[in-house]
């Protein structure tokens, strides 16, 4: 087996099964076994750090590096490697618009998420689909720099919000019928992988990655072994080095056995 020194890990439908709303137990066991052999575990998720922490990820797995918000920031326990924050002036300007329009929103920082509650029905409809720890109240926000602004809104508000986002130089992404996200630039998981390589002294041939969705494809291209779960999108499977079993059938653990990282 090649000398694999790092494993990059997607979260949703890779480690965390949304059917059961639980971690895949065998996958967690297998990753802990791999870590015990000296392999670094690096989370590379579209979720925020606050979400990952709130779901208990870091209590189950000894994570060595964090790539969060789909590549918006990368850091270790000791050091922030980069964080593509929204400029404070743009953040303040857009939040002022949301306040005038009476729209609810989340401010996602490097380590926390804060919510301004307005339309609870709209907010509840979002969290019923996107299984997330509920954010901290906006009253707890103390001016930390912001990676992303999520707005609880329907498409009828898009024109005015897009116009202000363009004016402030922000990217506008409607990722759900009841939510849009604004960032300073496009976030890519692959940027986090490259940064971790540079910081940890790793090479492409020493890494593998697990994922299931379209945003994992750039990550697959950055490692020697990009592994797609059997429940993944067909486009992701087509770009993967190897397609393993589904999450419910312990696909992650089976792939680690297949590549000789752990024993069966």
């Amino acid at each position: 087996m090649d000398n694999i020194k790092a494993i990059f890990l997607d979260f949703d439908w890779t480690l965390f099964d949304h059917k059961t709303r639980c971690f895949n137990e065998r996958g967690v066991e297998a990753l802990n076994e791999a870590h015990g052999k000296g392999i670094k575990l690096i989370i590379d998720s579209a979720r925020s750090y606050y979400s990952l922490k709130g779901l208990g990820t870091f209590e189950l797995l000894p994570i060595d590096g964090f790539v969060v918000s789909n590549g918006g920031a990368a850091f270790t326990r000791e050091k922030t490697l980069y964080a593509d924050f929204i400029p404070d002036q743009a953040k303040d300007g857009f939040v002022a618009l949301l306040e005038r329009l009476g729209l609810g929103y989340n401010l996602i920082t490097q380590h926390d998420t804060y919510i301004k509650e307005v339309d609870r029905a709209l907010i509840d409809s979002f969290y019923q689909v996107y299984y997330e720890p509920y954010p901290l109240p906006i009253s707890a926000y103390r001016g930390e720099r912001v990676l992303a602004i999520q707005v609880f809104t329907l498409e009828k508000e898009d024109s005015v919000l897009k116009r202000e986002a363009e004016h402030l130089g922000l990217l506008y992404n409607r990722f759900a019928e009841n939510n849009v996200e604004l960032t300073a630039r496009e976030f890519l998981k692959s940027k986090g992988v490259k940064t971790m390589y540079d910081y940890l002294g790793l090479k492409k041939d020493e890494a593998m990655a697990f994922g299931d969705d379209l945003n994992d494809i750039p990550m697959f291209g950055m490692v020697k072994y990009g592994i797609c779960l059997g429940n993944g999108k067909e486009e992701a499977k087509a770009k993967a080095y190897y397609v393993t079993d589904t999450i419910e059938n312990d696909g992650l653990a089976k792939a680690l056995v297949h590549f000789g990282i752990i024993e069966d």
Side-chain angles (χ1 to χ4, degrees):
M1 177 59 201
D2 297 309
N3 186 26
I4 296 298
K5 295 182 179 179
I7 300 174
F8 291 85
L9 298 159
D10 175 47
F11 184 81
D12 295 287
W13 295 109
T14 300
L15 279 174
F16 191 85
D17 189 340
H18 282 252
K19 290 181 182 177
T20 61
R21 291 191 170 179
C22 292
F23 288 85
N24 177 261
E25 185 176 350
R26 180 63 188 119
V28 169
E29 291 174 352
L31 289 168
N32 274 287
E33 186 175 341
H35 192 267
K37 295 185 175 184
I39 296 175
K40 293 186 181 298
L41 303 181
I42 302 167
I43 199 80
D44 197 340
S45 173
R47 285 184 181 260
S48 67
Y49 180 87
Y50 177 85
S51 176
L52 294 165
K53 181 180 177 181
L55 290 171
T57 310
F58 311 136
E59 297 170 14
L60 295 173
L61 292 168
I63 300 298
D64 299 290
F66 309 87
V67 180
V68 299
S69 297
N70 209 47
F75 49 98
T76 65
R77 297 185 188 279
E78 299 79 27
K79 182 178 181 180
T80 296
L81 306 180
Y82 75 83
D84 289 329
F85 293 120
I86 293 173
D88 289 340
Q89 186 174 2
K91 180 261 294 182
D92 292 341
F94 201 83
V95 167
L97 173 65
L98 299 178
E99 294 286 350
R100 292 197 299 272
L101 294 174
L103 295 176
Y105 57 87
N106 286 336
L107 297 181
I108 299 175
T109 70
Q110 185 172 330
H111 291 102
D112 291 303
T113 300
Y114 302 90
I115 190 168
K116 172 64 179 289
E117 296 180 333
V118 176
D119 186 338
R120 278 306 303 265
L122 198 61
I123 292 171
D124 289 345
S125 70
F126 175 81
Y127 283 104
Q128 285 167 4
V129 175
Y130 293 90
Y131 187 60
E132 290 262 342
Y134 202 72
L136 300 167
I138 197 67
S139 59
Y141 176 64
R142 295 293 179 267
E144 304 99 306
R145 300 204 68 189
V146 169
L147 287 169
I149 303 171
Q150 291 180 338
V151 186
F152 300 99
T153 178
L154 302 174
E155 289 185 13
K156 64 183 180 180
E157 303 284 356
D158 275 355
S159 59
V160 63
L161 295 177
K162 280 183 178 179
R163 186 164 58 248
E164 183 66 5
E166 182 177 353
H167 171 71
L168 294 170
L170 300 177
L171 292 184
Y172 189 91
N173 174 35
R174 176 167 289 283
F175 69 94
E177 65 177 0
N178 51 14
N179 203 293
V180 299
E181 184 170 81
L182 295 101
T183 58
R185 55 183 55 83
E186 183 181 12
F187 289 169
L188 292 171
K189 291 185 174 186
S190 52
K191 180 177 179 179
V193 176
K194 172 65 166 57
T195 301
M196 286 293 173
Y197 284 170
D198 293 344
Y199 182 71
L200 298 172
L202 297 172
K203 297 179 291 187
K204 179 177 181 177
D205 287 353
E206 298 172 326
M208 65 195 323
F210 287 87
D212 72 295
D213 212 337
L214 303 183
N215 62 341
D216 295 312
I217 292 173
M219 179 173 67
F220 289 166
M222 291 292 294
V223 300
K224 183 167 186 178
Y225 299 118
I227 300 166
C228 187
L229 275 289
N231 48 272
K233 298 283 182 63
E234 292 304 316
E235 297 92 332
K237 290 178 181 178
K239 296 296 184 179
Y241 181 91
Y242 179 75
V243 179
T244 186
D245 210 334
T246 60
I247 185 171
E248 61 264 36
N249 289 324
D250 301 332
L252 194 154
K254 287 179 178 178
L256 292 179
V257 171
H258 174 82
F259 285 96
I261 302 296
I262 63 170
E263 296 180 0
D264 194 356

